[in-house]
Amino acid sequence: VPMQVLALGYSRTGTLSMHTALQTLGYTTYHFSNIFANVRDADIWQELLAAKFHNKENIPFDYKHAFDQLLGDYSAVTDNPCALFWKELIEAYPDAKIVLVERNEETWLKSIAVLFDGVLHPISTHVLRFTDPYWYGRVISAGRGWILASTGHASAAGAKQNALAVYRKHYADIRAAVPAEKMLEFRLGSGWEPLCKYLGKPVPDVPFPRLNE
């Protein structure tokens, strides 16, 4: 399936709402929650995270091949860990349209803190990983993996301490690399019109999704 939309906002910037909105517009959309239905994805994400963030020997890695394996049935992506590979995704799918959603920093910090506390909780990261290694263990390892790669910490306290700097750098890097006219900076609460105009889609006769608040 041709990749058509790269929604590159960091996790907890309305990514589940954007996932549902893009699905409503006819795209097959990938979000971290897809891993719950296919835990094999977690293994590929671990390979991708290792190649980009833990590859001290700079061993060449075929990102396009890995993306095609992982995302070949999808025409759009959103959420982390996809957003962490924004540069590689743009290079792999240069014809895809780019959507960037940023959230108020204060509300984002509160939201991402809840995520870090849950994913990096000692019970989740140790006890449950070993009692259900095939399913839960792989899902939580993928979540831990992108948080460690992004923030440099495997503890909730450390991840939260680095979160804002990581968040700001994510958006600064994308804006520095992608011309403003080549992407849509979508604001939460602005409704269907700007998104549909940018993507060339008719405006649906349903409210814009507002999920996972």
Side-chain angles (χ1 to χ4, degrees):
V1 176
M3 184 62 68
Q4 299 179 60
V5 182
L6 302 174
L8 302 176
Y10 202 91
S11 187
R12 293 300 174 114
T13 59
T15 56
L16 190 58
S17 297
M18 182 58 68
H19 169 269
T20 304
L22 292 171
Q23 295 270 91
T24 301
L25 296 177
Y27 300 98
T28 51
T29 310
Y30 193 93
H31 180 274
F32 184 88
S33 58
N34 289 72
I35 300 175
F36 288 91
N38 185 9
V39 293
R40 295 179 184 179
D41 288 5
D43 303 333
I44 302 177
W45 281 121
Q46 294 285 47
E47 292 178 12
L48 281 159
L49 290 166
K52 179 168 182 175
F53 296 98
H54 311 296
N55 187 1
K56 295 180 180 178
E57 294 82 18
N58 292 318
I59 299 172
F61 186 82
D62 190 344
Y63 287 99
K64 178 65 162 58
H65 177 70
F67 291 148
D68 285 346
Q69 282 187 299
L70 188 63
L71 308 171
D73 292 333
Y74 298 90
S75 56
V77 302
T78 185
D79 199 30
N80 292 353
C82 289
L84 303 187
F85 294 89
W86 63 269
K87 182 178 180 180
E88 292 79 10
L89 283 167
I90 290 172
E91 291 175 351
Y93 308 113
D95 295 329
K97 293 190 173 183
I98 299 169
V99 178
L100 192 63
V101 181
E102 189 173 11
R103 188 177 179 184
N104 172 273
E105 289 182 352
E106 183 178 348
T107 57
W108 176 80
L109 274 172
K110 291 178 181 178
S111 183
I112 203 70
V114 173
L115 177 66
F116 289 166
D117 285 337
V119 174
L120 300 177
H121 191 281
I123 294 178
S124 298
T125 58
H126 296 293
V127 178
L128 295 178
R129 261 199 308 167
F130 295 112
T131 57
D132 184 8
Y134 178 80
W135 187 80
Y136 186 88
R138 289 156 86 184
V139 172
I140 202 69
S141 292
R144 282 170 48 85
W146 77 250
I147 294 172
L148 172 61
S150 178
T151 68
H153 287 274
S155 70
K160 285 186 280 189
Q161 185 176 10
N162 279 6
L164 188 55
V166 167
Y167 184 74
R168 289 172 173 170
K169 185 176 187 303
H170 177 76
Y171 288 92
D173 287 348
I174 293 175
R175 289 179 177 124
V178 182
E181 65 274 13
K182 295 291 185 180
M183 66 179 173
L184 170 68
E185 295 226 20
F186 183 81
R187 294 188 177 276
L188 296 174
S190 57
W192 287 109
E193 285 74 12
L195 182 64
C196 291
K197 181 179 179 181
Y198 177 65
L199 298 177
K201 297 284 188 178
V203 175
D205 190 23
V206 294
F208 193 89
R210 189 171 179 175
L211 304 171
N212 199 23
E213 293 190 80

